[in-house]
Amino acid sequence: MQSLAQLPSPFSDCSAYFYATTETDALPVSNLLNDPAIAERGVKSIIDKWGPGDEIAGASLWSYGYFLRLLRPVLAYGVLADVWFDVSPDRTSAGLTPGGTLQHFHVDQRLPRKVALSEMMTHLDMAIVYCSQSTRTKERLHRSNAEYVVFRAVSQLAAMSMTGEQRDRIAAVQEFISQSPRFGLTIDQASDLTRRRVCCLRDRLLGLSRCSSACPLSTSRSCQQLFGPQQRR
């Protein structure tokens, strides 16, 4: 298993999410997205670790971990290093924890930027459907998790000191996203602050508090006060 070069802060975490070669014991993503038991097991392990709490909140945290480890490295390595990984489900493998949560991805192919971004969006859409159907939750909840990861990463990249070529690449990513009519509807952006329109429900897990900056809810009320302990998103 070959590690990738570490990126500068705030993207130094990305080298732990992507590995440049496949492993024989890694699970092809195309298989993962056809096995609802994996997400079900992952949700249970999240609740065991951070609960007690709501299964919907556990499902949200599972998909957020998936999208964080998938989307953030694609954008960061692409913009900062001009390395655009192919993350199409049939050419990507996943490393899972024993509890069924995503640990990292194995990516072995590179593509031109526009093709890589298109494959990223295809993977994203398939994973959203998988998360919703496997955990019996609303697609909008998981789409919000994916879109938050993308817009937060793009915002962080745009705020960095960059070369002219890197600046051109982040502009190309922003243009690509802006041309996706179904993308970005669950996110608000103002003054470089990325805020959700859909609550991630993390404070329904006893071991976690509400997020500090992206939460769409009033600071005086918790998710449970607004939605109750069992309402689906």
Side-chain angles (χ1 to χ4, degrees), residues 35-44 47 54-60 62-63 127-142 201 204 230-233:
D35 187 354
I38 294 173
E40 292 169 358
R41 187 170 79 250
V43 170
K44 181 180 184 302
I47 293 174
D54 189 315
E55 288 187 1
I56 305 172
S60 178
W62 191 91
S63 75
I128 288 170
V129 172
Y130 168 79
C131 291
S132 174
Q133 293 181 348
S134 298
T135 63
R136 297 167 295 282
T137 50
K138 295 291 183 63
E139 285 189 16
R140 192 164 183 258
L141 173 63
H142 305 292
L201 305 177
R204 288 183 167 188
Q230 294 298 326
Q231 183 170 327
R232 294 187 182 275
R233 299 296 293 171

Side-chain angles (χ1 to χ4, degrees), residues 31-195:
N31 291 358
L32 186 159
L33 296 180
N34 282 292
D35 187 354
I38 294 173
E40 292 169 358
R41 187 170 79 250
V43 170
K44 181 180 184 302
S45 73
I46 286 171
I47 293 174
D48 288 345
K49 180 176 180 179
W50 298 109
D54 189 315
E55 288 187 1
I56 305 172
S60 178
L61 204 63
W62 191 91
S63 75
Y64 179 74
Y66 188 108
F67 292 126
L68 182 75
R69 288 161 177 78
L70 175 73
L71 303 173
R72 185 172 169 83
V74 171
L75 298 170
Y77 278 106
V79 170
L80 298 177
D82 199 21
V83 175
W84 300 93
F85 288 107
D86 180 359
V87 294
S88 51
D90 58 345
R91 288 186 289 276
T92 308
S93 298
L96 299 169
T97 67
T101 56
L102 260 293
Q103 194 166 37
H104 51 253
F105 288 93
H106 299 269
V107 288
D108 198 33
Q109 302 291 328
R110 303 180 186 187
L111 294 171
R113 178 181 62 230
K114 190 169 183 179
V115 179
L117 291 173
S118 294
E119 293 294 345
M120 180 190 79
M121 298 294 269
T122 298
H123 187 157
L124 181 156
D125 286 339
M126 292 175 65
I128 288 170
V129 172
Y130 168 79
C131 291
S132 174
Q133 293 181 348
S134 298
T135 63
R136 297 167 295 282
T137 50
K138 295 291 183 63
E139 285 189 16
R140 192 164 183 258
L141 173 63
H142 305 292
R143 180 165 293 278
S144 175
N145 284 335
E147 292 182 354
Y148 177 74
V149 170
V150 169
F151 279 94
R152 176 64 174 158
V154 168
S155 178
Q156 289 179 317
L157 286 164
M160 295 177 70
S161 254
M162 289 187 174
T163 66
E165 291 180 346
Q166 289 171 329
R167 188 63 58 191
D168 289 343
R169 291 195 289 268
I170 187 63
V173 169
Q174 291 169 318
E175 176 66 15
F176 179 89
I177 293 171
S178 72
Q179 292 178 352
S180 302
R182 293 181 58 245
F183 195 76
L185 301 179
T186 69
I187 298 295
D188 285 319
Q189 282 197 300
S191 302
D192 296 324
L193 176 66
T194 304
R195 189 179 298 276

